[in-house]
Amino acid sequence: MNGTKIQKVIGHQIFDSRGIPTVSAEIMLESGIKAWACVPSGASTGKHEAIELRDNGNTYSGKGVSKALGNINTKINDIIRGLDVSNQSEIDYTMIKFDGTENKSKLGANAILAVSLACAKAAAKVFKMDLYKYLGGINSCVLPVPMMNILNGGAHADNNVEIQEFMIFPSGAKSFNEAMQMGTEIYSQLKALLKSQGLSTAVGDEGGFAPTLEKDEQALELITDAIEKAGYRAGKDVFICLDVAAGEWNDGNNGYKFPKKNQIVKIDELFSYYKTLVEKYPIISIEDPFSDDDFDNFSKFQKELGHKIQIVGDDLFVTNAKRLKKGIALKSGNAILIKPNQIGTLTETLDTIRLAQRSGYRTIVSHRSGETEDTSIADIAVATNSGQIKSGAPSRSERVCKYNRLLQIENKLGNFSKYGEE
């Protein structure tokens, strides 16, 4: 096609939802078509993630992104200018090859991903298609069940709660629209419950409430009550998902310690703790129950509870096909969290999703704690029929914009849309 070659790419500094600089890229084609994309930033990050290039200088407490922007405006611009924007893999692997490092530390995964996503959006415009349809084709029709993080702890909140995320999972809805109704009603009921008990209704990074509680189990009790008060059945209509983020609990040599309580916990105690929670509460999914390299305990946990719940690797896999292959061989879990900025290109993200799905792993497309108004993950979730998405609480515009995009897609698909996993 005429006019599909890349004419120029420009990097821009913007701010994420925590007021920290991040990267946006704008692509211009010879035809005059333009598209932009923004990348988020994580607070609780796995040590095997691709490198988010920061300045480490005096401005923005070292969090500036001028180095990443400089790479977009010079090196990346030079190597992809003239490439056909519809050849996503060529664009992505050109950047990967030029970077030449395992973790994209030369150009920065934030710089590379911004350009990668912007190219996909520009190509979708060329073909006058929505991004989800351009990426996934005619079979893109599954609206994901939202994992809504409605109560925050861990690294996402300055409270005494050890578990990082307590999420509701309205899998009993008949449509994404109904799931949003259920989620917002439960969120509202939880706020009322917290207020009635004199607990804080301030929110954490991802829009979930962040009260100081007597113990982590109180969070599960409050959420179960909120589900019932909203008129839904806990364990039937709505389930609970946890993101433990146990990488934050690692105390060396795969030992664990609750950091806020400063309490050492033995591995058998941790197993027992999780089993007790699953028995007592309507928990259907636990993410990162162990640390970044603890494949063995993930495997043991999968053997014991994998038939009953979803065991999700986030920091364990970091959207990296090589690490996922190891996990598949060792049977370390049965699901993977997908975060494009963990790996740094759209092509590698889609490759990892395909590998997971071929291997019987569930895929959950996810946001980050420091988010932007970019809604690419919503389109990626539908494009890949992933069936699940994490985008935080139904609160704060950088979270809600992803949900609103999914509502738009559901309306576009009409009767051809499906909700949740088959």
Side-chain angles (χ1 to χ4, degrees):
M1 294 180 65
N2 294 327
T4 59
K5 289 185 178 180
I6 297 169
Q7 184 179 66
K8 191 174 185 179
V9 55
I10 303 173
H12 302 282
Q13 176 183 291
I14 60 170
F15 293 90
D16 72 16
S17 56
R18 294 173 305 194
I20 296 173
T22 190
V23 176
S24 173
E26 182 181 12
I27 290 285
M28 290 175 275
L29 305 183
E30 290 179 352
S31 63
I33 287 175
K34 296 179 181 180
W36 62 271
C38 310
V39 294
S41 176
S44 173
T45 56
K47 64 183 180 182
H48 298 291
E49 292 190 23
I51 296 298
E52 181 184 71
L53 189 61
R54 297 283 182 178
D55 295 343
N56 300 316
N58 295 323
T59 59
Y60 297 113
S61 303
K63 295 286 189 179
V65 291
S66 63
K67 290 180 181 178
L69 297 179
N71 287 338
I72 292 175
N73 293 327
T74 57
K75 297 170 184 175
I76 293 177
N77 180 69
D78 291 344
I79 61 174
I80 71 168
R81 188 172 55 228
L83 296 183
D84 192 310
V85 77
S86 65
N87 196 335
Q88 186 73 40
S89 60
E90 181 184 13
I91 293 166
D92 288 347
Y93 280 106
T94 296
M95 292 188 286
I96 291 168
K97 184 178 180 180
F98 183 90
D99 177 90
T101 66
E102 186 71 20
N103 58 6
K104 300 180 177 66
S105 57
K106 182 178 179 180
L107 293 175
N110 45 353
I112 294 172
L113 181 64
V115 174
S116 178
L117 290 175
C119 286
K121 290 184 174 186
K125 284 187 175 183
V126 167
F127 293 100
K128 297 181 171 59
M129 299 172 74
D130 284 293
L131 182 61
Y132 75 91
K133 190 68 73 176
Y134 171 71
L135 295 178
I138 60 173
N139 196 42
S140 303
C141 61
V142 176
L143 274 295
V145 180
M147 283 184 176
M148 296 182 174
N149 179 11
I150 63 171
L151 199 147
N152 295 183
H156 288 174
D158 294 325
N159 59 9
N160 65 342
V161 178
E162 301 285 4
I163 292 174
Q164 186 163 278
E165 298 178 19
F166 297 81
M167 297 167 280
I168 50 172
F169 190 71
S171 56
K174 294 181 176 63
S175 66
F176 186 79
N177 183 67
E178 185 180 355
M180 288 304 300
Q181 177 185 335
M182 294 165 74
T184 54
E185 289 174 349
I186 294 164
Y187 185 75
S188 179
Q189 287 295 330
L190 179 59
K191 183 176 183 178
L193 276 171
L194 292 172
K195 192 172 182 179
S196 71
Q197 295 182 28
L199 297 169
S200 172
T201 56
V203 299
D205 278 353
E206 298 183 2
F209 302 112
T212 293
L213 303 175
E214 294 176 8
K215 55 183 179 178
D216 282 26
E217 281 194 55
Q218 188 182 357
L220 293 164
E221 291 163 2
L222 285 163
I223 291 171
T224 302
D225 286 349
I227 291 169
E228 300 289 345
K229 286 185 178 296
Y232 303 108
R233 299 167 297 172
K236 295 285 186 181
D237 304 315
V238 184
F239 293 86
I240 295 174
C241 305
L242 304 179
D243 176 8
V244 175
E248 304 286 338
W249 298 359
N250 188 255
D251 196 38
N253 298 318
N254 286 333
Y256 292 90
K257 180 174 72 174
F258 294 143
K260 294 182 178 181
K261 296 184 181 71
N262 196 29
Q263 175 188 334
I264 297 292
V265 56
K266 296 177 181 177
I267 195 65
D268 58 340
E269 294 173 330
L270 203 51
F271 266 80
S272 179
Y273 177 52
Y274 294 145
K275 288 178 185 177
T276 298
L277 294 182
V278 171
E279 288 168 4
K280 288 180 65 176
Y281 302 98
I283 294 170
I284 200 171
S285 178
I286 299 181
E287 177 186 332
D288 281 353
F290 307 101
S291 63
D292 306 40
D293 291 307
D294 201 349
F295 282 90
D296 288 344
N297 280 314
F298 264 90
S299 298
K300 292 174 185 175
F301 200 50
Q302 164 67 18
K303 187 174 181 180
E304 292 192 33
L305 281 181
H307 65 286
K308 191 172 183 179
I309 66 169
Q310 183 171 257
I311 299 168
V312 186
D314 173 19
D315 293 341
L316 185 73
F317 298 134
V318 292
T319 317
N320 186 308
K322 290 180 182 178
R323 292 185 65 82
L324 177 59
K325 285 176 183 177
K326 179 178 179 179
I328 291 166
L330 295 173
K331 299 181 180 178
S332 300
N334 53 28
I336 179 173
L337 209 68
I338 299 293
K339 295 174 175 174
N341 82 321
Q342 285 182 326
I343 191 64
T345 66
L346 177 59
T347 297
E348 291 168 292
T349 299
L350 297 177
D351 285 347
T352 302
I353 292 173
R354 282 191 289 267
L355 172 62
Q357 292 175 339
R358 287 198 308 267
S359 305
Y361 271 55
R362 295 187 179 98
T363 53
I364 306 150
V365 179
S366 177
H367 65 159
R368 299 308 299 254
S369 56
E371 261 299 338
T372 74
E373 62 271 30
D374 192 295
T375 60
S376 297
I377 62 166
D379 284 77
I380 291 170
V382 177
T384 56
N385 292 327
S386 282
Q388 299 180 54
I389 192 169
K390 279 181 68 174
S391 186
S395 167
R396 299 179 48 147
S397 59
E398 78 279 358
R399 315 292 155 182
V400 175
C401 66
K402 279 73 164 173
Y403 296 136
N404 287 340
R405 173 58 182 156
L406 288 166
L407 289 171
Q408 290 176 342
I409 294 173
E410 187 172 59
N411 287 334
K412 282 176 176 283
L413 288 170
N415 293 332
F416 297 102
S417 69
K418 298 178 182 179
Y419 172 69
E421 296 175 313
E422 294 293 320

